[in-house]
Amino acid sequence: MNPLQKEIFFYQFGNQPRAPKPYHRRTTYLCYQLKPHEGPIIARVCLQNKKKRHAEIRFIDNIKALRLDTSQRFEITCYVTWSPCPTCAKELVAFVRDHRHISLRLFASRLYFHWLRENKKGLKRLHASRIPVAVMSSLEFEDCWKEFVDNQGKPFQPWNKLEQYSESITRRLRKILEQPQNDLENEFRNLQLQ
């Protein structure tokens, strides 16, 4: 695995409402670790969007290419800079449905355009399909730092207000996941009327 550079980790995974300077659009990075249910980690990989292929789709392709033994259970933990878009959410649900021997957990630094109806539906689809989606807290940021960053042996140093931002994003996610589907549709209609 090519570890992430420290600067890339802080810039891309930072959960601040506004990206630190310079204000370039942040991209999606997905870092995952794969392990048998009762065993050590056998793979650590970092991916990013590339040539119109989202990191989540590249992740699915990578795991399929491994042709994991279907008689054995596997656990995959993913750390992503943005929660999946609706199309990627749908693909992740299909992947887990077709690979029942794989347990997948997603930890997102930020929610991708969380105010859009389709993105909310994608998050609800993941949640309903045995794919837990959670917001990264300092524990997950620290684990990501240790496992995927060329940290040169230095401990993780949280940025200002990391926990406050995580808690705010967690509340937002919880509200989305608890909102009934028809409420989402009514909210969308109201937005169109404005």
Side-chain angles (χ1 to χ4, degrees), residues 108-124:
S109 174
R110 297 176 303 279
L111 300 179
Y112 182 72
F113 295 109
H114 60 86
W115 56 89
L116 297 177
R117 183 174 132 248
E118 289 303 311
N119 293 344
K120 290 179 182 183
K121 285 170 83 173
L123 289 167
K124 290 176 80 69

Side-chain angles (χ1 to χ4, degrees), residues 4 8 12-13 27-31 47-48 55 79-82:
L4 294 174
I8 290 175
Q12 297 295 343
F13 276 91
T27 188
T28 299
Y29 278 78
L30 182 151
C31 299
L47 302 167
Q48 71 181 91
Y79 298 116
V80 291
T81 54
W82 293 103

Side-chain angles (χ1 to χ4, degrees), residues 32 34 43 45 47 53 56-69 76 95 99 101-102:
Y32 71 88
L34 164 69
V45 178
L47 302 167
R53 290 193 55 79
E56 296 90 341
I57 304 306
R58 295 184 66 215
F59 157 74
I60 291 169
D61 293 344
N62 278 14
I63 299 300
K64 284 181 178 178
L66 294 174
R67 299 180 189 263
L68 297 171
D69 180 357
I76 303 174
F95 171 73
H99 297 83
H101 63 296
I102 294 175

Side-chain angles (χ1 to χ4, degrees), residues 117-135:
R117 183 174 132 248
E118 289 303 311
N119 293 344
K120 290 179 182 183
K121 285 170 83 173
L123 289 167
K124 290 176 80 69
R125 180 179 287 133
L126 289 166
H127 180 70
S129 302
R130 68 181 194 99
I131 302 173
V133 180
V135 174

